[in-house]
Amino acid sequence: MTESQIADNFLKIRQQIKDAEVKSGRKEGSVRLCAVSKFHPVDSVKAALKADQFLFGENRVQEAYGKFTELNDSRAELHIIGQLQSNKVKKAVEIASCIQSVDRESLLEEIEKQASKLEKNISIFFEYHTAEDSKSGYGDMDSLFVSLENFARGLYPHITPAGLMTMAPFSQDEKLVRLSFEKLRNLKETVNEKFPELPVKELSMGMSGDFSLAIEEGSTMVRVGTALFGERDYT
């Protein structure tokens, strides 16, 4: 995809985000766009930067490490949004400002270990399982609350628990999709009531096919890839 096509796509998606904000009675600019650049070349990221896009999401740490090390642009902010293995945490912490896919206590322990070595603070989102299509994420509130209680006790001084993340089902049934987003929004409200001292404010939900619905249901960050960069080259 050409640089001008990518620029046009960003204009289109940003307008759709604004329209969804207006429709849901929310303030313009209340939703951040995370451009998912996985499986797209570094030139696509450069084209996005020229279109004033600075927040990016990547699934694979090894790919992201090579791409954003080569890019070497201080304006680019990287979030890891894919399932993260413990042996990839070191590199993830080095290059990312946020890990959105935290789904277990042992992963938090490894993130804290690596962040403390670098004397770096890193944000995380708790990924929560709200739909049958995706099995990743915390599967119940009890296990999530154990992690939140550990934050409240000060066990992870180098990590900021910034929000919650989910993936809706890949379905044409709008009710099912909305239900997934509503479930995460309600969970955040419960978390905020139970742990008011923790800064769990963000809701990362909504992708290329459903981000407008996600915004209407309270999303503060949408993760859009294909609608911006085109189909991915999985070779």
Side-chain angles (χ1 to χ4, degrees):
M1 185 168 284
T2 67
E3 185 177 300
S4 63
Q5 287 174 318
I6 290 174
D8 288 344
N9 288 342
F10 272 99
L11 286 174
K12 179 181 176 181
I13 295 302
R14 285 169 180 153
Q15 185 59 54
Q16 290 176 359
I17 289 172
K18 288 180 182 179
D19 291 344
E21 288 171 335
V22 170
K23 184 176 179 179
S24 53
R26 297 175 59 183
K27 182 180 177 182
E28 185 177 317
S30 61
V31 179
R32 292 187 76 191
L33 172 60
C34 179
V36 180
S37 49
K38 67 176 182 179
F39 295 114
H40 291 289
V42 69
D43 285 345
S44 293
V45 178
K46 291 177 180 177
L49 287 167
K50 288 184 178 179
D52 294 326
Q53 176 65 29
F54 305 111
L55 174 59
F56 298 90
E58 290 273 345
N59 282 54
R60 297 185 176 187
V61 173
Q62 200 68 29
E63 178 192 353
Y65 192 88
K67 190 183 301 181
F68 283 83
T69 300
E70 177 185 344
L71 184 68
N72 193 27
D73 192 316
S74 61
R75 298 174 300 166
E77 178 186 355
L78 176 64
H79 287 198
I80 299 298
I81 61 175
Q83 196 167 27
L84 184 60
Q85 297 174 329
S86 294
N87 63 354
K88 303 292 186 184
V89 169
K90 183 177 183 292
K91 282 191 172 181
V93 171
E94 284 181 27
I95 59 171
S97 64
C98 179
I99 297 171
Q100 291 198 24
S101 49
V102 171
D103 58 0
R104 60 195 185 278
E105 187 67 22
S106 61
L107 185 58
L108 283 169
E109 293 170 357
E110 185 63 22
I111 293 170
E112 172 61 31
K113 176 182 174 182
Q114 298 301 334
S116 64
K117 287 180 180 179
L118 294 174
E119 296 183 346
K120 175 180 180 178
N121 185 278
I122 188 163
S123 296
I124 63 100
F125 289 8
F126 300 98
E127 182 175 4
Y128 195 77
H129 176 64
T130 62
E132 288 306 312
D133 287 351
S134 173
K135 298 296 183 183
S136 58
Y138 284 86
D140 59 85
M141 285 197 293
D142 289 343
S143 57
L144 175 62
F145 285 172
V146 168
S147 293
L148 289 163
E149 285 164 1
N150 285 335
F151 271 100
R153 290 165 53 202
L155 293 190
Y156 304 122
H158 294 87
I159 306 176
T160 299
L164 304 175
M165 184 266 263
T166 199
M167 290 179 63
F170 297 103
S171 173
Q172 297 300 314
D173 187 337
E174 184 178 311
K175 289 183 179 179
L176 281 178
V177 175
R178 283 189 184 274
L179 185 62
S180 175
F181 297 146
E182 182 183 353
K183 187 180 294 186
L184 195 72
R185 185 188 71 234
N186 290 339
L187 176 60
K188 187 182 84 72
E189 292 173 0
T190 300
V191 168
N192 292 159
E193 289 174 6
K194 192 172 178 65
F195 302 94
E197 71 276 27
L198 298 180
V200 182
K201 304 301 180 187
E202 302 289 339
L203 281 176
S204 175
M205 55 189 196
M207 300 190 295
S208 288
D210 56 23
F211 68 84
S212 292
L213 292 179
I215 292 170
E216 291 174 26
E217 294 299 329
S219 178
T220 64
M221 183 182 295
V222 293
R223 309 181 305 275
V224 180
T226 302
L228 294 170
F229 298 113
E231 296 297 327
R232 299 182 179 96
D233 181 4
Y234 292 100
T235 60

